[in-house]
Amino acid sequence: MDRLIYTAMTGAKYLLERQATLAHNLANASTTGFRADTVGLRAVPTTGQQSGTRVFTVETTTGSDFAPGPMVSTSRDLDVAIQGSGWLAVQSSDGTESYTRNGSLQVGPDGTLQLSSGQQVQGTGGPITMPTDAQSVFVAPDGTVSVKAASSKLPTTIGQLKLVNPPASDMKKGLDGMFRLKSGDSADADANVRVAGGTLEGSNVNVVESMVGMIGAARQFELQMKMLSTAEQNEQKAGTVLGA
């Protein structure tokens, strides 16, 4: 009886958390460069006196889906998309280095390249600062950023995006949606990573699959509730028999 109650109770709790994860993925179905969260569950026996028959079902985030998202042409000079595997290095609000696939860049108030959320884009030699008289920008496949200014007839190189490619198993997603190395270190630049200018990578969330998952989780939650109801009915009947 205990095993049924605890398994059904914690299973229902897990399914609610799974619904939250799926809803979060769906909410970011149109977020540039978003990587879907993946979840799983496992059985955990309880410890302590008279707890040998009780088993909890625990939800655990197994990581992120690193499959590439669709490429969308924007023809905007400051839009870049990572081709294949790799990441764009940026500076997080806490000063540490983090990584993203969101290549929608803009010029910040201080003239440096930033994400729309305000994180400063990292170059191989530090922050990349745009000239105040820049008329056009070109990002080469290797991440080299060149500008054509009003005062010059020829393009001038102002820096190179820091592109990295650490193993996916070494990375984890933070609460801010940015990825970091599990060790806390900064990844080395990888000269083999390539970008496409005038292009953005969309979210890799599969909307249909997520919707089906939410429907399945809702039905499974109903099943857990029925199991709890069955356990209650069995207990009442057992009490009646033993009290007779």
Side-chain angles (χ1 to χ4, degrees):
M1 187 71 69
D2 280 348
R3 184 180 295 274
L4 172 61
I5 293 174
Y6 273 78
T7 301
M9 176 187 67
T10 55
K13 179 177 180 293
Y14 149 75
L15 289 167
L16 288 177
E17 294 173 351
R18 175 171 170 76
Q19 285 278 36
T21 300
L22 291 171
H24 175 70
N25 286 342
L26 281 174
N28 287 278
S30 59
T31 300
T32 303
F34 180 79
R35 289 291 179 267
D37 294 328
T38 57
V39 295
L41 73 160
R42 56 193 176 94
V44 179
T46 61
T47 58
Q49 293 182 350
Q50 300 179 349
S51 298
T53 63
R54 296 174 176 85
V55 178
F56 283 102
T57 301
V58 179
E59 184 271 342
T60 177
T61 300
T62 57
S64 299
D65 182 1
F66 289 95
M71 296 295 178
V72 180
S73 177
T74 64
S75 301
R76 180 174 175 267
D77 292 342
L78 288 178
D79 285 344
V80 294
I82 305 293
Q83 295 183 305
S85 59
W87 302 85
L88 177 68
V90 300
Q91 185 181 51
S92 300
S93 56
D94 59 1
T96 60
E97 187 172 277
S98 57
Y99 309 103
T100 181
R101 299 275 295 194
N102 181 359
S104 180
L105 310 182
Q106 64 181 17
V107 181
D110 58 354
T112 59
L113 283 182
Q114 299 179 358
L115 299 182
S116 57
S117 51
Q119 290 100 327
Q120 193 175 75
V121 175
Q122 296 292 84
T124 54
I128 300 176
T129 304
M130 298 287 291
T132 56
D133 59 345
Q135 293 182 327
S136 59
V137 183
F138 175 74
V139 182
D142 65 352
T144 299
V145 182
S146 303
V147 299
K148 189 173 184 299
S151 58
S152 175
K153 295 182 179 180
L154 298 176
T156 303
T157 299
I158 60 173
Q160 183 178 15
L161 300 174
K162 182 178 179 181
L163 305 172
V164 303
N165 189 23
S169 58
D170 293 345
M171 304 190 73
K172 64 177 181 180
K173 183 189 286 188
L175 296 177
D176 57 357
M178 307 297 287
F179 285 83
R180 296 170 178 81
L181 292 181
K182 295 178 181 178
S183 64
D185 299 328
S186 297
D188 296 328
D190 190 333
N192 296 318
V193 180
R194 290 291 181 266
V195 299
T199 307
L200 289 177
E201 179 185 8
S203 169
N204 70 346
V205 174
N206 187 317
V207 176
V208 175
E209 183 178 310
S210 297
M211 288 296 297
V212 171
M214 291 189 71
I215 295 172
R219 291 178 176 175
Q220 291 173 21
F221 181 82
E222 292 176 0
L223 178 60
Q224 302 297 329
M225 293 295 99
K226 290 180 179 179
M227 291 175 63
L228 286 174
S229 178
T230 299
E232 182 182 12
Q233 294 173 8
N234 290 343
E235 184 177 359
Q236 291 175 351
K237 291 179 180 178
T240 301
V241 171
L242 292 176

